[in-house]
Amino acid sequence: MQFFEFTEEQKMLRKAVRDFVEAEVAPKAAEWDEQDVCPIDVFKKLGEMGVNGICIPEAYGGAGQGFVERTICIEELARHSGGLAMTMMTHHLGAALISQYGTEEQKKKYLPDLCSGANIGGLAVTEPGGGSDFIGQKTLAEKKDGGWVINGRKCFITNSHNADVTVVTAKTGEDEKGRNKLSAFLVEKGAEGFTPGRKEHKLGLRASVTGDVALTNVKAPESALLGKEGGGSKIGLEGISEIGRAGMSAICVGLLRACVEEAVKFANERIVYGKPIAKLQAVQFEVAQVRMAYEAARLLTYYAAGLKDNGIPCANEVATAKLFSTEAAVQASKRTMDLMGGYGVINEYPVGRFLRDALTSLSSGGTSHIMQIIIAGNTLTNFQP
Ligand SMILES: Cc1cc2nc3c(=O)[nH]c(=O)nc-3n(C[C@H](O)[C@H](O)[C@H](O)COP(=O)(O)OP(=O)(O)OC[C@H]3O[C@@H](n4cnc5c(N)ncnc54)[C@H](O)[C@@H]3O)c2cc1C
């Protein structure tokens, strides 16, 4: 058995991203949250550093690293801005699916600009009929004149208004049991009939854009099909799970670390009874709980990323990491607020934002109920300690 430790290269990556985040993200994160703006200029700079294409092969302009390295980048971003981390993690989702399932032509066309920071990626599967009912999607793609015509509506889509290329799933047929067969398409910003609609005013992760996209007679050539016809369920589910949920888990690891660091800082600085509150045992209990949650979430999340890097199926491990990390981040940010007394609710301190970001992470990529269904299903049929 090996102990969990980053390699020297991974530590160097973490330091480079941490230094960047402390200089360029930390001073602005509260402002982006308050104004609800996505900092595209910073996103582009991260592209120049290699973060946007972290897990894309070098042949297509990426950094040629894996999902552990991607998790390091997202944790560091989320330490100061959950919203920017959300923009990045969803961008990774779109780019990684193109890298994994795209034709050579598609990879050459889209990946270099997605890696450099010039372009943004996204994934649109959720519909007004319920994100949990993935297979029940109503968006329809019909064959016409040698290509496809897509009609439907997607909602809660991250990067809805700023993605240059979005992986969109749609129904293209039914199987013998009458269940939807889905296919995935690459739809470009500005394509006729592809219109961003309502932009959501969210509780948290506010430095990311979330909104509707309408598809009205969108013409997609055969070359826009990602993977095989009928392969969209696998592409969508794998993307949501191993890349999307894993990304949400990484965001919450970053939020948990933020709670540990803010709790320690405040407990050492706040003087009550003439001494720092860090000397009070009740405060120490809160610090211990928050630290424990961070360490556990970190192990689960990096373990799942390591499985993915080794080509080992990890839907159950990702669901476990996502459920634990998101719920733990909600609890830990509330604990940190409690520890701060009245200051916890003063917006000058970032902890209220961490709580809002953690709450907003709960449903994205699948709710806690759905995570429990996945974990229970795996445990009841396939528990191999
Ligand atoms: C900030 C944010 C960003 C997002 N980004 C994207 C994105 O980029 N792309 C994208 O496609 N989607 C995105 N989503 C959508 C997200 O994946 C969905 O919100 C999620 O899948 C839940 O779907 P829903 O909101 O429609 O809830 P519903 O599916 O309507 O669920 C409502 C309630 O019913 C419960 N429920 C549903 N089914 C079951 C069941 N079988 N058993 C038990 N309970 C059940 C749920 O747990 C929940 O409590 C985003 C969401 C958020 C909040």
Side-chain angles (χ1 to χ4, degrees), residues 132-369:
S132 307
D133 184 13
F134 173 82
I135 292 296
Q137 296 182 25
K138 302 244 176 331
T139 296
L140 195 65
E142 293 170 295
K143 274 195 171 153
K144 207 169 176 189
D145 303 331
W148 297 85
V149 177
I150 314 174
N151 280 287
R153 185 157 83 86
K154 303 286 179 180
C155 62
F156 295 138
I157 305 307
T158 305
N159 300 340
S160 51
H161 291 60
N162 48 15
D164 296 279
V165 56
T166 303
V167 178
V168 176
T169 50
K171 175 178 173 178
T172 48
E174 288 182 357
D175 67 13
E176 56 291 345
K177 289 185 178 158
R179 282 176 310 209
N180 282 353
K181 271 186 165 174
L182 307 177
S183 298
F185 297 89
L186 296 172
V187 183
E188 292 178 15
K189 187 183 200 167
E192 205 181 328
F194 184 60
T195 348
R198 167 198 163 106
K199 207 170 178 174
E200 302 297 351
H201 190 55
K202 302 195 297 296
L203 177 73
L205 300 176
R206 283 161 56 87
S208 65
V209 174
T210 311
D212 274 17
V213 286
L215 297 110
T216 313
N217 293 322
V218 174
K219 288 195 184 76
E222 198 59 38
S223 60
L225 186 68
L226 182 67
K228 287 191 292 224
E229 183 183 335
S233 308
K234 181 177 182 323
I235 294 174
L237 282 172
E238 206 174 286
I240 296 168
S241 167
E242 295 180 3
I243 314 173
R245 277 172 206 151
M248 293 317 300
S249 194
I251 288 176
C252 288
V253 172
L255 293 174
L256 282 159
R257 197 178 94 223
C259 289
V260 177
E261 290 176 349
E262 294 298 331
V264 169
K265 186 165 179 278
F266 189 89
N268 282 324
E269 285 173 0
R270 172 73 171 144
I271 307 292
V272 182
Y273 315 111
K275 58 184 182 192
I277 59 167
K279 301 273 184 211
L280 300 171
Q281 200 178 42
V283 168
Q284 293 175 2
F285 289 164
E286 300 294 352
V287 170
Q289 289 289 338
V290 173
R291 171 76 190 270
M292 179 178 70
Y294 166 62
E295 297 296 348
R298 184 170 173 264
L299 287 173
L300 288 170
T301 303
Y302 282 98
Y303 175 62
L307 290 177
K308 168 93 178 145
D309 278 338
N310 282 283
I312 300 169
C314 53
N316 177 62
E317 286 76 8
V318 168
T320 307
K322 201 261 178 187
L323 175 63
F324 183 86
S325 309
T326 49
E327 295 284 354
V330 171
Q331 292 305 322
S333 39
K334 183 186 166 292
R335 277 185 191 283
T336 309
M337 288 173 82
D338 290 346
L339 173 156
M340 294 173 70
Y343 292 101
V345 297
I346 304 300
N347 280 337
E348 205 179 307
Y349 292 90
V351 187
R353 171 160 55 89
F354 302 155
L355 177 60
R356 290 188 285 104
D357 287 351
L359 285 165
T360 309
S361 302
L362 286 172
S363 59
S364 176
T367 66
S368 293
H369 297 138

Side-chain angles (χ1 to χ4, degrees), residues 52-53 55-57 89-102 107 110-111 114-115 120-123 165 167 243:
N52 302 20
C55 48
I56 303 299
M89 96 85 191
T90 311
H91 159 82
H92 285 157
L93 182 45
L97 288 177
I98 297 174
S99 172
Q100 226 163 311
Y101 292 99
K107 291 193 236 186
Y110 294 111
L111 291 177
L114 289 172
C115 294
I120 303 179
L123 171 75
V165 56
V167 178
I243 314 173

